[in-house]
Amino acid sequence: MTSEKVPTLEARIERWPIEGNFTISRGAKTEAVVVVAEVTHGHLTGRGECVPYPRYGETPEATLEAILGMTDAIGGGLDRLALQSAMRPSAARNALDCALLDLEAKQGNRRIWDRLGRAAPVPCVTAYTISLGTPEAMAAAAAKAAHRKLLKVKLGGDGDGLRIAAVRKAAPDSELIVDANEAWSEANLAQNLAACAQAGVTLVEQPLPAGQDGPLANIRRPIAVCADESVHDRASLSGLRERYDAVNIKLDKTGGLTEALAMADAATAQGFGIMVGCMVATSLSMAPAMLLTPMARFIDLDGPLLLKRDRDRGLRYDGSLVYPPEAALWG
């Protein structure tokens, strides 16, 4: 018999169908594959969700194994702060970190932002993603979403000038940000930035591959450039200021909300703008990231909007607004 005094850990892989498909420069997918961790202590259970990302060598199976590998440590009383050194930054650590934070909030009977001494999140504008495709297909998608205040446009290299011009024409009143997902090159960098500036784009995410982004320090950037794949946690901020104006903070990269909040503080102190990003996932992945929104200029937490269905008691979306999570969901 398991004592109620001993925390227990469970985890599982879940698959959530995407509405249509989600396409970026690296490929397309039709479902979101997530891993959920649950830490139970007595009658209370904390939950966390992560998205293993192949770009960083992660798979759902290996992530599940990494989480379950912490079973004895969790049972022995490993807390959230000790977790930071017990696991490397990863999707697996994110799921566990968020589960422990959720449990901490329930045990204290207070919302997690109050326990952490952070500003309470409020309803905020989130981006809505336009997948990569032909200029015609992207224009059609943008026209359907033209009522939204902020659109995030996935680009992919050659022909991006035509794509962004088509999207702008279809959504003349929306603020546009662009995500190239490392697909540009030094040869087309200036041309593509100019095309985005011409279309009134506010921000470009990760135009060049991580590790090959040095040219960004040597050109005049007509619009703000945001690091995504080039930045993961606080340790990766060093040396980026000459190349980037902002950083995209994602909990699956930082290895959880604990590091993400510390990273946001450090990035702000170093003069970076803050973007809060996400993978395609359910509201359980988005909810912890809402604690970062008071510090962010750009918020991209539209993952559940891209799914055929979301979790029960998921985040509330009202047009372009996303609302803070209810305690029944997380935190």
Side-chain angles (χ1 to χ4, degrees):
M1 180 180 296
T2 301
S3 170
E4 287 191 351
K5 295 181 180 179
V6 177
T8 60
L9 171 64
E10 295 183 356
R12 62 185 177 274
I13 297 172
E14 296 181 350
R15 299 176 183 274
W16 295 79
I18 292 173
E19 189 71 50
N21 63 60
F22 179 77
T23 303
I24 65 174
S25 62
R26 282 189 286 271
K29 60 181 181 180
T30 58
E31 65 178 4
V33 182
V34 307
V35 182
V36 176
E38 294 182 342
V39 179
T40 299
H41 197 181
H43 65 285
L44 299 174
T45 297
R47 301 187 300 165
E49 177 182 298
C50 69
V51 181
Y53 199 32
R55 169 66 178 79
Y56 305 128
E58 297 177 329
T59 66
E61 294 75 18
T63 298
L64 178 64
E65 182 179 358
I67 292 171
L68 292 177
M70 300 300 293
T71 299
D72 290 345
I74 292 294
L78 181 80
D79 64 14
R80 173 175 54 88
L81 298 180
L83 176 68
Q84 308 308 307
S85 57
M87 297 183 77
R88 66 175 183 83
S90 61
R93 195 179 79 181
N94 176 32
L96 269 178
D97 183 71
C98 291
L100 290 169
L101 279 161
D102 188 30
L103 180 61
E104 186 177 326
K106 290 174 177 174
Q107 289 173 328
N109 197 30
R110 296 174 65 193
R111 297 312 304 266
I112 193 60
W113 45 83
D114 292 329
R115 285 190 62 82
L116 297 179
R118 293 280 172 169
V122 298
C124 52
V125 173
T126 180
Y128 181 80
T129 301
I130 304 297
S131 285
L132 177 65
T134 65
E136 295 77 16
M138 294 180 72
K144 292 180 181 178
H147 62 287
R148 296 184 179 275
K149 294 182 179 180
L150 178 63
L151 298 181
K152 177 174 175 175
V153 184
K154 292 289 188 178
L155 295 181
D158 292 338
D160 278 349
L162 295 175
R163 291 186 180 99
I164 195 61
V167 168
R168 170 50 78 202
K169 184 176 180 180
D173 298 324
S174 300
E175 182 177 9
L176 301 182
I177 58 178
V178 157
D179 188 359
N181 284 114
E182 305 180 280
W184 294 358
S185 67
E186 184 175 3
N188 63 26
L189 175 63
Q191 176 184 348
N192 283 335
L193 283 175
C196 288
Q198 180 65 32
V201 171
T202 307
L203 182 85
V204 174
E205 267 187 86
Q206 199 66 42
L208 300 178
Q212 303 175 37
D213 52 6
L216 288 169
N218 302 320
I219 66 168
R220 186 186 71 83
R221 300 191 291 270
I223 52 180
V225 177
C226 178
D228 185 357
E229 287 84 355
S230 286
V231 67
H232 293 258
D233 54 11
R234 279 175 291 174
S236 61
L237 289 171
S238 178
L240 291 184
R241 194 66 187 90
E242 291 184 353
R243 286 169 276 168
Y244 294 99
D245 307 291
V247 292
N248 188 345
I249 301 178
K250 295 178 179 175
L251 272 59
D252 285 309
K253 293 190 303 178
T254 65
L257 179 61
T258 299
E259 172 62 22
L261 289 168
M263 179 183 173
D265 291 339
T268 299
Q270 294 179 39
F272 289 102
I274 302 295
M275 178 178 183
V276 180
C278 70
M279 308 299 188
V280 183
T282 79
S283 283
L284 186 56
S285 278
M286 308 300 125
M290 286 294 296
L291 272 77
L292 294 162
T293 60
M295 305 176 69
R297 165 64 176 87
F298 296 101
I299 296 158
D300 177 26
L301 297 177
D302 67 340
L305 297 177
L306 306 176
L307 301 177
K308 286 186 177 179
R309 61 182 179 86
D310 191 14
R311 295 188 184 279
D312 292 340
R313 299 194 174 185
L315 292 180
R316 175 187 167 195
Y317 290 87
D318 182 8
S320 294
L321 291 179
V322 56
Y323 286 75
E326 297 180 3
L329 172 67
W330 185 87

